[in-house]
Amino acid sequence: GEGQEMVDSQYYLPNDIGISALDCSEAFRLLSPQEKMYAHYLSRASWYGGLVVLLQTSPESANIFVLLQRIFRKQTPAQLEQVATAAGLSSEEYQAFLVYAAGLYANMGNYKSFGDTKFIPNLPKDKLKALVWASQAFQEQPAEMEALWDSCSCLLYSLENRQKQLGLGDKGITTYFSGNCCLEDAELAQKFLDSKKLSAYNTRLFKKEDGGKACYEVRLASAVQKDCAVDGECESCCGSFSFEDKEFTVKRGDYSRVMEKVCYYLEKARAYAANENQRKMLEEYTRSFTLGSIDAHKEGSRYWIKDKGPIVESYIGFIESYRDPFGSRGEFEGFVAVVNKAMSERFAKLVSSAEVLLPELPWPQEFEKDAFLKPDFTSLDVLTFAGSGIPAGINIPNYDDIRQTEGFKNVSLGNVLAVAYATQKEKLTFLEEGDKDLFIKWKGPSFEVQVGLHELLGHGSGKLFVQDDMGKFNFDQSKVINPETGEPVSSWYRGSETWDSKFSTIASSYEECRAECVGLYLCLNKQVLSIFGHEGQDADDVVYINWLSMVRAGLLGLEFYTPESKRWRQAHMQARFVILRVLLEAGEGLVGLEEVTGEDGKPDAQITLDRSKIPTVGKNAIHRFLCKLQVFKSTADVEGGRAFYDKYSTVSDTGAHNFLRLRETVLLRKEARKMFVQANTRISGDSVELVEYEGSAAGLIRSFTERFQDDAEQLESGLLELSKQDAPCWC
């Protein structure tokens, strides 16, 4: 019935899911030949390493991957279409097959990287089978292809309760643990690993019953399969141990075929490294993946932190532990990104104009830092991001001991952000028809202006009033007047108090809100617009679309509010909702937000912004609001600041707008998470060329078929072998 279909649609990817090409061509073109070679070999290492995620996700993922690779290596998506039609598939069904294949590649497995739920093809199983049987790959190797289909077709479609999501024991599916492991086993293994001072990041756990006695095998990811001491790597790490009356064996060689390839390409990259830190880093990573040593990976990470502001940035290894149900095993990821020299140049110009721009901000001069501190902020364009999904920014390494004492890196991935915010016209929700073309044209450029202002002059501005432990003030408390009260400043931070410790739970959202407002306020400045290359009418359009984007983002932000707990789940989204409320409150027809009925007869909403009032009503509203935010922040007035911020963050069904009902509308019309198509690099003669693909399911599929061309058959049989040797462990 109807209800059944509603439930099931969350388990397949919609045919019109957004798929966009990640554009790295400008950044890549500006690299030197040596940098291009370095980037190429690191990309190869990342892509091969990323295949590990198939084996880390579900028992069937690797087999499905090989099935798809074999089909598409013989026929491109366009060539296969005629075959599909002849086999009785409708064009919707064929598109659903392409979207499923693209989804499997983009997530490196058949579970979504954001949310960890399973997805299955949105076409009947017999139709998919007919297509496989009609494919050229099947015609050429019927026995192999049939065996491959039999090995995964059941699980490919299964939506039994346990299979709907990743989890441990009866809660879900995982391949970090054999199927007979439960939470107690995971806890015991963690205790054992701690006792041996071994990290769980690069391990998996397999439990075997031996004569009624449980014995555990801890497997380290490594190219080397010997368990003896190798290259001075400590003897104690591998071998058999008794722990709490249980037998533990630590072995090397998990994913060994894949780890070998990673090491091979890291060695090649080393020859093109820009400096000693990069060479040492790659040497340690290679040692880590050869021997299964996390200590070596930590050493490599130390050199990586020391490699400040490289032109080609990368990180690789078993990094994020979100998907291990126990939370301590890392998923493999590898990325290669390139400094966007053109964007960085504009950001540098903005920084050098800081002293003329900061006085424009709405607070008195005494509330501004004595000297502008240039924040450490890099915008990179991703060339390669292999793993289960691509974030918009990164803050690594995750080793706490290194973060606390030696530091970390914080980077924004510019071309990922650009795609995440680009939308096709027909999916541009909540805007008037007349605004849509302009929105699409200026969204990217206006977002670049907003990001630059937000990061550099937003987070970089504003002073905190402090009295140190010796009683010394960093401001003249006899002279400085609070502009909100007209009285002298009466509160400040003492000694060890910090912004985060005082404002705790609202600190990060409040600070994002302050930075977003600085962006809205300063983008009105002609000099700022001209730094980014916008003059005249174009400059006016950039301002209009930047403000309109902010208002729309405030409405879209409602998706990240949970009514049951009355909590916001995302700091930036809460900040944008607050700004929407401030601009609505300004009145005078600046912003309109009304509930309407859509063309489909379902609830919808429409946002309007009167562009003629942005420089007057809009600017004044942000001026007043931003000044208050800064004064509460500077004076450590947590009671005032919290009451003020919470007032605008409240989502209720009373007042001029029913935000709880609008939230339902936002959820009804939200877009599925986009998928990214990434370029390949290949060596031709003595230079490296970038091979780009169109932003579609077919383009995403082709990029993966061509990614592993050199040794496709060897690689596929290697993956099947790794998958087969563990198959008995999952049931």
Side-chain angles (χ1 to χ4, degrees):
E2 179 69 33
Q4 190 54 38
E5 279 145 43
M6 287 299 295
V7 173
D8 285 348
S9 70
Q10 66 167 316
Y11 295 108
Y12 50 75
L13 306 171
N15 269 11
D16 65 348
I17 191 167
I19 301 179
S20 304
L22 208 46
D23 178 21
C24 189
S25 51
E26 184 192 17
F28 189 79
R29 192 172 51 80
L30 296 171
L31 293 180
S32 71
Q34 178 185 343
E35 289 162 347
K36 285 181 182 173
M37 285 301 246
Y38 182 66
H40 167 73
Y41 283 121
L42 283 177
S43 293
R44 301 305 292 151
S46 299
W47 284 123
Y48 277 95
L51 296 169
V52 162
V53 177
L54 294 164
L55 299 158
Q56 289 182 303
T57 299
S58 72
E60 65 276 12
S61 288
N63 296 43
I64 302 171
F65 175 87
V66 173
L67 179 76
L68 295 170
Q69 288 288 84
R70 290 202 171 156
I71 290 171
F72 290 117
R73 266 197 300 123
K74 295 294 180 191
Q75 289 165 298
T76 63
Q79 293 167 329
L80 197 61
E81 188 160 14
Q82 284 85 26
V83 178
T85 309
L89 278 74
S90 67
S91 63
E92 282 77 25
E93 287 167 337
Y94 183 61
Q95 177 62 16
F97 167 64
L98 293 183
V99 164
Y100 176 77
L104 187 111
Y105 289 135
N107 292 280
M108 262 298 133
N110 58 346
Y111 287 77
K112 294 180 192 170
S113 65
F114 203 78
D116 290 343
T117 46
K118 186 172 188 174
F119 58 95
I120 64 171
N122 189 14
L123 72 160
K125 189 172 178 178
D126 55 353
K127 292 281 182 86
L128 179 53
K129 183 175 181 174
L131 175 58
V132 173
W133 258 243
S135 70
Q136 191 181 326
F138 192 95
Q139 307 306 310
E140 291 181 17
Q141 296 186 303
E144 286 94 324
M145 288 295 282
E146 183 163 0
L148 193 47
W149 170 263
D150 289 342
S151 73
C152 63
S153 57
C154 241
L155 285 172
L156 200 149
Y157 272 95
S158 167
L159 281 178
E160 282 178 38
N161 277 337
R162 185 176 164 212
Q163 265 133 14
K164 287 179 175 173
Q165 66 287 312
L166 298 176
L168 189 56
D170 52 12
K171 301 255 194 310
I173 293 299
T174 179
T175 48
Y176 287 104
F177 297 89
S178 54
N180 54 2
C181 285
C182 59
L183 185 60
E184 288 73 38
D185 297 305
E187 284 167 346
L188 180 69
Q190 189 60 50
K191 280 206 244 167
F192 165 73
L193 289 167
D194 292 344
S195 79
K196 289 257 136 316
K197 295 208 176 6
L198 274 175
S199 163
Y201 272 123
N202 64 343
T203 69
R204 292 198 293 170
L205 185 70
F206 295 85
K207 175 176 158 185
K208 296 188 175 60
E209 304 288 342
D210 191 17
K213 193 180 175 194
C215 44
Y216 297 92
E217 180 184 305
V218 173
R219 245 192 248 163
L220 308 176
S222 69
V224 166
Q225 289 171 298
K226 299 198 292 288
D227 296 327
C228 52
V230 188
D231 294 355
E233 203 33 44
C234 65
E235 279 134 276
S236 68
C237 111
C238 292
S240 289
F241 311 91
S242 183
F243 182 78
E244 296 199 359
D245 290 343
K246 302 280 194 294
E247 183 73 21
F248 275 86
T249 312
V250 181
K251 284 178 129 60
R252 284 200 183 89
D254 211 4
Y255 329 115
S256 61
R257 304 278 292 266
V258 183
M259 292 289 109
E260 271 168 30
K261 296 294 275 190
V262 176
C263 295
Y264 170 79
Y265 286 117
L266 289 178
E267 282 297 305
K268 292 248 188 227
R270 206 164 53 148
Y272 298 96
N275 56 49
E276 196 53 26
N277 279 326
Q278 285 181 4
R279 272 190 291 279
K280 284 278 208 315
M281 160 188 97
L282 293 180
E283 205 171 301
E284 293 295 342
Y285 290 164
T286 305
R287 193 161 73 90
S288 174
F289 304 141
T290 303
L291 304 171
S293 161
I294 291 293
D295 285 338
H297 195 269
K298 280 183 153 181
E299 248 339 271
S301 300
R302 291 191 166 97
Y303 288 113
W304 177 70
I305 292 166
K306 289 183 189 129
D307 185 30
K308 297 262 187 255
I311 301 297
V312 177
E313 181 60 284
S314 76
Y315 198 60
I316 188 168
F318 295 87
I319 317 291
E320 302 295 351
S321 54
Y322 304 125
R323 289 181 109 185
D324 165 14
F326 189 68
S328 61
R329 286 154 191 79
E331 185 172 61
F332 196 94
E333 71 177 45
F335 74 82
V336 183
V338 176
V339 169
N340 183 324
K341 292 179 185 174
M343 196 190 286
S344 300
E345 204 172 303
R346 294 191 285 273
F347 283 0
K349 272 198 192 132
L350 194 57
V351 167
S352 60
S353 319
E355 50 242 37
V356 291
L357 294 173
L358 288 170
E360 298 288 306
L361 289 169
W363 45 83
Q365 184 203 328
E366 296 82 15
F367 283 72
E368 190 46 72
K369 291 191 174 77
D370 308 324
F372 178 66
L373 300 172
K374 179 185 176 303
D376 181 25
F377 175 76
T378 323
S379 183
L380 302 175
D381 281 354
V382 169
L383 168 64
T384 294
F385 207 115
S388 63
I390 311 183
I394 33 196
N395 198 311
I396 36 185
N398 288 335
Y399 304 119
D400 275 333
D401 48 342
I402 297 184
R403 287 176 76 92
Q404 296 303 322
T405 58
E406 293 160 74
F408 51 85
K409 288 187 188 180
N410 190 1
V411 293
S412 161
L413 303 175
N415 58 346
V416 175
L417 285 166
V419 169
Y421 284 95
T423 300
Q424 298 142 280
K425 191 171 176 181
E426 52 282 5
K427 292 187 188 165
L428 212 41
T429 49
F430 311 130
L431 293 180
E432 285 186 301
E433 216 39 55
D435 279 331
K436 291 183 178 176
D437 286 322
L438 206 59
F439 191 93
I440 284 166
K441 179 175 181 188
W442 293 109
K443 183 67 191 107
S446 75
F447 188 67
E448 184 189 19
V449 173
Q450 181 68 14
V451 167
L453 292 170
H454 172 118
E455 296 292 347
L456 303 167
L457 301 177
H459 292 316
S461 66
K463 176 171 180 169
L464 300 184
F465 294 144
V466 183
Q467 179 182 18
D468 67 19
D469 289 329
M470 311 303 288
K472 200 164 148 308
F473 289 89
N474 70 346
F475 66 105
D476 185 342
Q477 84 285 14
S478 64
K479 286 215 183 85
V480 178
I481 298 295
N482 177 329
E484 297 298 321
T485 61
E487 307 284 324
V489 165
S490 59
S491 58
W492 47 82
Y493 297 85
R494 316 277 168 130
S496 62
E497 290 178 340
T498 64
W499 160 249
D500 284 315
S501 73
K502 282 293 269 195
F503 282 73
S504 65
T505 53
I506 64 162
S508 66
S509 184
Y510 187 112
E511 175 57 18
E512 291 307 332
C513 190
R514 197 183 66 88
E516 289 288 47
C517 287
V518 169
L520 287 181
Y521 193 78
L522 288 179
C523 80
L524 298 167
N525 183 300
K526 294 280 181 274
Q527 185 184 347
V528 166
L529 292 161
S530 125
I531 287 173
F532 286 91
H534 310 301
E535 310 283 347
Q537 180 60 47
D538 285 359
D540 286 345
D541 285 347
V542 166
V543 169
Y544 175 57
I545 294 308
N546 195 34
W547 279 60
L548 182 61
S549 302
M550 186 62 75
V551 172
R552 178 171 179 261
L555 179 61
L556 295 177
L558 284 165
E559 180 195 329
F560 297 88
Y561 175 77
T562 310
E564 293 74 30
S565 60
K566 296 193 154 87
R567 302 219 11 199
W568 283 91
R569 306 192 303 282
Q570 221 288 337
H572 296 81
M573 292 305 186
Q574 178 181 354
R576 290 161 190 153
F577 176 74
V578 164
I579 292 170
L580 165 64
R581 295 284 304 273
V582 169
L583 295 176
L584 282 166
E585 185 188 77
E588 295 187 52
L590 172 69
V591 173
L593 168 60
E594 56 175 329
E595 298 187 56
V596 295
T597 301
E599 284 173 17
D600 56 7
K602 295 178 181 155
D604 205 341
Q606 192 164 61
I607 287 166
T608 51
L609 174 65
D610 181 340
R611 67 188 294 169
S612 70
K613 294 187 171 150
I614 293 173
T616 52
V617 183
K619 185 178 183 184
N620 289 337
I622 293 294
H623 184 288
R624 286 193 303 272
F625 179 66
L626 190 46
C627 191
K628 285 198 171 86
L629 285 180
Q630 185 57 50
V631 169
F632 288 132
K633 183 181 177 182
S634 291
T635 59
D637 182 356
V638 69
E639 288 72 30
R642 192 179 279 280
F644 182 63
Y645 198 66
D646 285 348
K647 180 184 91 165
Y648 289 106
S649 301
T650 307
V651 178
S652 78
D653 53 8
T654 56
H657 297 92
N658 185 334
F659 286 114
L660 280 173
R661 195 166 61 212
L662 277 162
R663 178 179 170 274
E664 298 298 325
T665 304
V666 168
L667 288 174
L668 174 73
R669 302 194 176 272
K670 82 182 178 97
E671 207 184 331
R673 252 180 115 74
K674 288 200 179 69
M675 299 197 282
F676 297 102
V677 183
Q678 300 180 61
N680 284 319
T681 51
R682 65 165 176 236
I683 294 181
S684 74
D686 49 9
S687 65
V688 179
E689 58 183 20
L690 193 67
V691 185
E692 298 181 277
Y693 303 89
E694 65 167 39
S696 66
L700 204 159
I701 290 164
R702 284 197 53 197
S703 72
F704 268 89
T705 321
E706 295 180 13
R707 202 152 272 155
F708 303 104
Q709 262 171 331
D710 322 337
D711 57 348
E713 288 180 15
Q714 233 184 315
L715 175 73
E716 288 160 18
S717 66
L719 277 173
L720 290 177
E721 199 179 300
L722 287 170
S723 170
K724 194 174 165 189
Q725 78 192 24
D726 289 328
C729 299
W730 311 126
C731 31

